């Protein structure tokens, strides 16, 4: 029963719930997939690393979410069951295209009946295996799923998408991509509206031997350092255009980023 | 309980149930020789063609090489009814799965489906199956699912009552890296040897080669089978 958009409105509202949540991005590169989530810290009392927004669905599959976290958590359980049943029945890893279609079908079912409400979350699924290579799929509250090379969900998804489009991800490796993902999250983070945030980074690819896991602390710290440098450069560039530098009594023009020390 | 493999039958020629002759009480069995060999680019499968009810040959031109999907076959040994029923069920499941996935199914998937059924119903079934085929990911593969419901991938596998007689031949004559023609020749010889010695195997030798291009079936008639002794 489609009463002039009653149910369709519910789906639209669900998508709005996602848009109010902080950003999550996923990018697929030559040899893996990297996820980055801007986890806003709502209270100083939160334990570091808690309230995870990236889940493990199967050994080789990761899921980054945005929107109502409770809905996202129950969907991650659904995805886990699907992946587990597939392996039980057919004896091998579930192909990501199939998993995302199955979970999308489940999400879609909740948009059909007035007795239930649609899920208020979008999520990005990523995997890596020997046969298919890296794969990235996104599912939204309406229950559709698409494959991507890079996608973003949450409040700054437009800005994030613009940044993602600048990347040549097909030629990058995971190690290079981790730094870029951190940089994008730092760029799209709104310092004015939302204060502190914690960056949650995870990856799956040849570098992890096909296992989805959080990026190791040292690599994450390095990526955050790179991200902070880039974002500070960007903010300085707004103010300065050209700087004269005296060097052996000759005036030379240098681009501002050489002036940044952080 | 009716004897399946024609060994261990009760000694009385006249049993208490005289209305039905004894051979009609026996289970229909594909007391058999089946085999499959991997080669680079596909698999070769082979089987004899005898189906028996006790000592009576119910079908002397049986086709024990059953298609499960376009590039996946299974070789059936054991109870004819059980193996046909399981093969039908797996054909259905695999077809459905392939449509859901929108790509040709993996041989491993087919083998696992056989294994699940054979293990779950191991007490009721008598089915020894060899699953063989070609898929894009791993090329030619042979998986054997013997009675009891184990599964293991092997480069070459033999099964059925006649297989006992050709393990030696298989071990000494199989070489990795054979071509399709060499595999076909190897299978023909192995089947001929088994059919010569096993009373429950005989008839013609049916062979099939499965590659990316598709299927090629061959039949080696009784008089064309290689002879190994003059007696």
């Amino acid at each position: 029963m489609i009463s002039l958009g009653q149910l369709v409105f519910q789906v639209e509202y669900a998508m709005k719930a996602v848009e109010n949540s902080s950003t999550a991005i996923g990018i697929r590169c030559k040899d893996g997939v990297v996820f980055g989530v801007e986890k806003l810290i709502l209270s100083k009392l939160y334990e570091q690393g808690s309230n995870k927004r990236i889940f493990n669905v199967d050994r080789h599959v990761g899921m980054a979410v945005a929107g109502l976290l409770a809905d996202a958590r129950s969907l991650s359980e659904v995805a886990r069951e699907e992946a587990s049943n597939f392996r039980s029945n057919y004896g091998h890893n579930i192909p990501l295209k199939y998993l995302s279609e199955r979970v999308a079908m489940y999400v879609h079912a909740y948009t059909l009946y007035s007795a239930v409400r649609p899920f208020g979350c979008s999520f990005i699924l990523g995997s890596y295996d020997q046969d298919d290579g890296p794969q990235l799929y996104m599912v939204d509250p309406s229950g559709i799923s698409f494959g991507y090379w890079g996608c973003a969900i949450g409040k700054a998804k437009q800005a994030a998408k613009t940044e993602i489009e600048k990347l040549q991800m097909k030629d990058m490796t995971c190690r290079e991509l981790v730094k870029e993902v951190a940089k994008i999250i730092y760029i799209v983070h709104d310092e004015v509206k939302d204060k502190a945030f914690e960056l949650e980074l995870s990856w799956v690819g040849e570098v992890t031997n096909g296992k989805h896991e959080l990026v190791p602390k040292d690599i994450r710290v390095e990526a955050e350092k790179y991200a902070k440098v880039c974002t500070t450069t960007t903010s300085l560039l707004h103010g300065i255009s050209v700087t004269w530098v005296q060097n052996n009594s000759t005036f030379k023009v240098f681009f501002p980023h050489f002036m940044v020390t952080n | 309980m009716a004897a399946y493999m024609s060994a261990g039958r009760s000694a009385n020629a006249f049993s208490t149930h005289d209305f039905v002759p004894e051979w009609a009480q026996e289970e229909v069995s594909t007391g058999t020789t089946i085999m499959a060999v991997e080669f680079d680019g596909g698999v070769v499968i082979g089987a004899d063609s005898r189906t028996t009810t006790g000592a009576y040959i119910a079908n002397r031109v049986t086709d024990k090489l059953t298609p499960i999907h376009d590039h996946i076959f299974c070789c059936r040994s054991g109870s004819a009814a059980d193996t046909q029923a399981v093969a039908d069920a797996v054909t259905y499941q695999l077809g459905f799965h392939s449509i859901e996935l929108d790509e040709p199914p993996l041989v491993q998937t087919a083998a696992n489906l056989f294994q699940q059924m054979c293990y779950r119903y191991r007490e009721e079934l008598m089915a020894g199956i060899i699953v063989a085929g070609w898929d894009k990911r791993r090329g030619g593969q042979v998986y054997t699912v013997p009675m009891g419901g184990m599964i293991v991938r092997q480069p070459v596998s033999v099964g059925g009552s006649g297989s006992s007689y050709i393990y030696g031949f298989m071990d000494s004559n199989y070489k990795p890296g054979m071509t399709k023609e060499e595999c076909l020749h190897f299978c023909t010889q192995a089947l001929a040897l088994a059919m010569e010695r096993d009373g429950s195997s005989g008839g013609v030798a049916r062979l099939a080669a499965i590659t990316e291009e598709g299927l090629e079936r061959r039949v080696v008639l009784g008089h064309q089978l290689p002879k190994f002794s003059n007696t």
Side-chain angles (χ1 to χ4, degrees):
Chain A
M1 138 226 155
I2 304 196
S3 64
L4 253 195
Q6 271 293 348
L7 291 172
V8 178
F9 281 157
Q10 283 294 304
V11 172
E12 304 274 318
Y13 298 156
M15 299 211 205
K16 280 214 169 57
V18 176
E19 269 158 43
N20 281 335
S21 138
S22 62
T23 321
I25 65 174
I27 308 185
R28 170 183 164 191
C29 64
K30 198 167 55 175
D31 64 352
V33 170
V34 180
F35 290 118
V37 178
E38 173 203 8
K39 219 166 47 171
L40 295 178
I41 299 178
L42 300 167
S43 158
K44 289 207 182 86
L45 296 171
Y46 276 168
E47 188 190 345
Q48 203 197 42
S50 65
N51 279 334
K52 281 202 186 333
R53 300 244 321 250
I54 303 182
F55 302 98
N56 242 318
V57 166
D58 198 353
R59 185 186 180 269
H60 66 303
V61 179
M63 172 170 152
V65 306
L68 298 178
L69 279 195
D71 288 9
R73 284 192 192 125
S74 81
L75 276 175
S76 77
E77 275 304 309
V78 168
R80 283 168 184 156
E81 251 183 79
E82 279 294 330
S84 167
N85 284 338
F86 186 96
R87 189 190 295 276
S88 220
N89 289 331
Y90 302 113
H92 63 92
N93 286 350
I94 188 167
L96 194 66
K97 177 161 178 269
Y98 183 72
L99 172 63
S100 70
E101 274 170 16
R102 293 286 296 184
V103 186
M105 224 191 303
Y106 187 89
V107 169
H108 171 250
Y110 280 72
T111 67
L112 295 170
Y113 310 106
S114 54
V116 295
R117 65 164 175 80
F119 284 94
C121 62
S122 291
F123 50 95
I124 313 175
L125 291 163
S127 82
Y128 179 83
D129 70 36
Q130 290 285 14
D131 303 303
D132 294 324
Q135 300 281 317
L136 187 67
Y137 280 84
M138 200 255 290
V139 179
D140 71 10
S142 66
I144 51 171
S145 87
F146 284 119
Y148 290 89
W149 277 95
C151 69
I153 49 181
K155 57 172 63 149
K157 73 171 189 228
Q158 275 308 113
K161 277 193 188 136
T162 322
E163 291 301 319
I164 293 175
E165 274 166 25
K166 294 180 189 163
L167 294 175
Q168 298 288 347
M169 66 275 287
K170 293 185 193 175
D171 304 317
M172 295 171 84
T173 64
C174 270
R175 283 189 192 277
E176 295 161 5
L177 192 56
V178 165
K179 299 214 288 258
E180 297 301 325
V181 166
K183 177 176 132 193
I184 294 174
I185 294 285
Y186 269 82
I187 289 176
V188 305
H189 172 68
D190 191 338
E191 273 294 337
V192 178
K193 285 205 198 129
D194 316 305
K195 292 297 162 78
F197 79 102
E198 199 185 309
L199 172 64
E200 203 174 324
L201 275 178
S202 81
W203 59 1
V204 59
E206 231 178 276
V207 65
T208 65
N209 242 319
K211 178 167 181 280
H212 174 256
E213 53 191 28
L214 290 177
V215 167
K217 186 160 174 219
D218 52 338
I219 302 182
R220 180 169 51 86
V221 163
E222 203 191 306
E224 288 196 80
K225 218 165 39 172
Y226 170 82
K228 285 190 184 123
V229 168
C230 291
T231 45
T232 330
T233 312
T234 321
S235 53
L236 269 175
L237 274 172
H238 288 318
I240 315 164
S241 43
V242 155
T243 312
W244 291 87
V245 173
Q246 196 160 4
N247 190 5
N248 291 345
S249 78
T250 56
F251 283 103
K252 287 191 179 155
V253 175
F254 285 96
F255 284 110
H257 69 251
F258 282 135
M259 300 287 290
V260 172
T261 51
N262 208 353
Chain B
M1 184 171 110
Y4 299 116
M5 288 300 189
S6 74
R9 209 164 4 133
S10 65
N12 318 356
F14 302 99
S15 62
T16 41
H17 318 281
D18 270 329
F19 312 104
V20 183
E22 223 177 278
W23 58 263
Q25 295 164 36
E26 304 281 351
E27 165 115 10
V28 175
S29 139
T30 50
T32 260
T33 314
I34 51 173
M35 64 186 296
V37 191
E38 285 176 15
F39 65 90
D40 181 22
V43 292
V44 166
I45 55 177
D48 74 302
S49 69
R50 183 172 289 183
T51 313
T52 50
T53 22
Y56 173 68
I57 300 177
N59 186 354
R60 64 186 171 98
V61 285
T62 324
D63 184 7
K64 301 178 190 178
L65 307 174
T66 312
I68 303 296
H69 206 264
D70 296 344
H71 290 87
I72 307 176
F73 267 65
C74 78
C75 312
R76 302 180 290 111
S77 76
S79 153
D82 288 353
T83 53
Q84 283 179 9
V86 172
D88 284 348
V90 172
T91 306
Y92 163 76
Q93 290 176 335
L94 200 66
F96 191 88
H97 174 69
S98 168
I99 289 178
E100 274 195 312
L101 275 186
D102 199 20
E103 55 181 58
L106 300 178
V107 185
Q108 190 188 16
T109 310
N112 269 289
L113 288 173
F114 269 107
Q115 185 262 342
Q116 301 238 319
M117 204 164 290
C118 291
Y119 180 70
R120 182 175 295 227
Y121 299 110
R122 57 182 293 164
E123 305 302 329
E124 288 94 336
L125 288 176
M126 195 156 84
I129 293 174
I130 300 180
V131 184
W134 178 92
D135 65 40
K136 202 163 62 148
R137 284 193 193 183
R138 305 215 182 102
Q141 298 146 75
V142 170
Y143 294 87
T144 183
V145 183
M147 268 179 256
M150 160 185 81
I151 180 173
V152 70
R153 180 181 172 185
Q154 294 178 310
V156 59
S157 183
V158 294
S161 58
S163 66
S164 339
Y165 305 103
I166 52 171
Y167 276 106
F169 175 81
M170 177 185 91
D171 288 336
S172 56
N173 285 64
Y174 170 73
K175 292 174 299 299
M178 292 198 281
T179 65
K180 183 175 86 166
E181 283 305 321
E182 285 173 337
C183 286
L184 282 161
H185 182 64
F186 169 71
C187 282
T188 317
Q189 290 196 308
L191 288 170
L193 284 165
M195 284 151 73
E196 181 71 27
R197 285 291 178 178
D198 181 28
S200 312
S201 302
V204 304
R206 291 199 191 275
L207 298 152
I210 308 165
T211 58
E212 181 174 7
E213 283 84 57
L215 179 68
E216 187 203 318
R217 294 197 80 135
R218 285 191 204 176
V219 182
V220 182
L221 298 177
H223 65 276
Q224 296 166 333
L225 284 169
K227 288 190 187 39
F228 290 91
S229 73
N230 294 322
T231 52

